[in-house]
Amino acid sequence: MGETLSILRPEVERPRDRAGDDRAGDDRAADAAGDRPRGGALSRTLRVLGRTARFAGRTLRGEWYGIVVDPLRELRRRGPAALLLALVACLGVIFFHALAQHPAGATAVRALGGVHGDLPLWLALLRTPVSLYVPALDLPVWAGITQLFLAFALAELALGRRRTLLVAYGSTLAGTLSVRVMLAMGPDRWGLGLPPEVGQVLDTGPSAAVVGLFTYLSVVRRAPIVFTLTGGSMVLESIARPNLAGREHLIAVAAAVVMGLLHERARLRRRVLSLSFGPPTG
């Protein structure tokens, strides 16, 4: 009998051992559950960072191909003749800059392409095309020529000559006409009006066209990073140096955005019409 009990005792005690093991397992599960929120928050943060990095990578890749790679392919296909507008713009800026280094030349440059707010409207409109080639005398001309060449070259390759000229001239003209409106409003009216003495300040020259072309390209090529860099730099410029050029640059950005959105709307409308009235298939 004693042997029987001694043989059964381990079997009797096993449920208690299993219960202890279950309690130990529950303790380990509770510890793991206590750590799970911290690990879960970290994993969620890593997933968000990963998605953000992948989105930024896709965006940068799309902008690189849309604004740089595609125009370079077009340049390889068409040859150096595709850069005619960019070359003419740079040569024009160099010519007028060299001419303005002499007193008589500076007078001629101002008479041909100097646009300011108190000019008669007809004369301002007549000088505005030439003002695209008249650099600002207080800015380094070679840095401006580099930006001018890049803006006109990329736009000419991506948009064509006619649309490049339209965007460049439209952005410059929008800034020029907006100054006349601000002068007509009077000083400090709604925070936009300008005093009469600003009417003697020359406009921005080719810089408004450069800003407009980069902004237009970022809209039609869906490049938010380029748009942020272009528009954001203009906002920072207007805050750091609240002058007439900063206001004209902001107007040029706004005009280019409007032109880009109108072009995209017309393109989508043509696409819808072509799909609706296209030839039957099948």
Side-chain angles (χ1 to χ4, degrees):
M1 187 68 175
E3 293 178 357
T4 305
L5 290 176
S6 65
I7 294 173
L8 292 176
R9 188 178 296 115
E11 298 296 331
V12 173
E13 292 175 353
R14 278 175 189 168
R16 292 198 300 270
D17 295 339
R18 285 197 299 268
D21 293 338
D22 293 340
R23 285 195 298 272
D26 293 339
D27 293 339
R28 288 192 296 270
D31 293 340
D35 292 339
R36 190 174 298 126
R38 292 192 294 271
L42 179 60
S43 63
R44 285 194 297 271
T45 302
L46 292 177
R47 285 196 298 270
V48 170
L49 291 176
R51 286 195 296 266
T52 303
R54 288 192 296 271
F55 173 77
R58 288 193 302 268
T59 303
L60 284 172
R61 185 174 182 272
E63 295 191 18
W64 173 258
Y65 274 86
I67 295 182
V68 178
V69 175
D70 290 344
L72 288 178
R73 289 173 178 169
E74 187 69 16
L75 175 62
R76 185 175 60 181
R77 187 181 68 85
R78 295 167 53 189
L83 300 178
L84 179 62
L85 280 183
L87 294 175
V88 169
C90 291
L91 290 176
V93 170
I94 294 173
F95 171 75
F96 281 107
H97 175 73
L99 189 62
Q101 302 308 307
H102 308 282
T107 303
V109 170
R110 191 178 181 94
L112 291 173
V115 178
H116 43 87
D118 59 0
L119 275 179
L121 180 58
W122 67 270
L123 187 56
L125 295 176
L126 190 62
R127 292 182 180 181
T128 298
V130 183
S131 71
L132 291 172
Y133 306 104
V134 178
L137 298 179
D138 57 342
L139 296 178
V141 64
W142 294 111
I145 288 176
T146 303
Q147 296 176 5
L148 183 71
F149 178 81
L150 286 176
F152 271 88
L154 293 174
E156 186 175 4
L157 292 170
L159 309 174
R161 288 175 185 167
R162 186 173 66 177
R163 191 150 43 124
T164 299
L165 284 174
L166 177 64
V167 173
Y169 182 73
S171 302
T172 303
L173 186 62
T176 299
L177 296 180
S178 67
V179 173
R180 306 178 72 88
V181 174
M182 295 177 192
L183 288 171
M185 292 171 61
D188 299 328
R189 187 173 182 182
W190 300 333
L192 297 175
L194 293 173
E197 57 268 19
V198 178
Q200 291 294 323
V201 179
L202 290 176
D203 69 354
T204 58
S207 61
V210 171
V211 172
L213 287 173
F214 275 123
T215 302
Y216 185 90
L217 274 174
S218 66
V219 172
V220 298
R221 290 302 176 103
R222 294 176 175 82
I225 296 178
V226 174
F227 178 81
T228 302
L229 292 176
T230 304
S233 63
M234 294 303 100
V235 173
L236 292 177
E237 176 194 3
S238 63
I239 295 175
R241 299 177 61 186
N243 53 15
L244 183 63
R247 294 193 181 201
E248 289 191 56
H249 288 159
L250 289 178
I251 295 297
V253 169
V257 169
V258 172
M259 287 187 287
L261 293 177
L262 289 176
H263 176 266
E264 287 299 289
R265 181 180 178 183
R267 185 181 65 84
L268 290 175
R269 182 179 298 174
R270 288 193 301 268
R271 183 178 178 183
V272 170
L273 290 175
S274 65
L275 292 175
S276 300
F277 301 100
T281 60

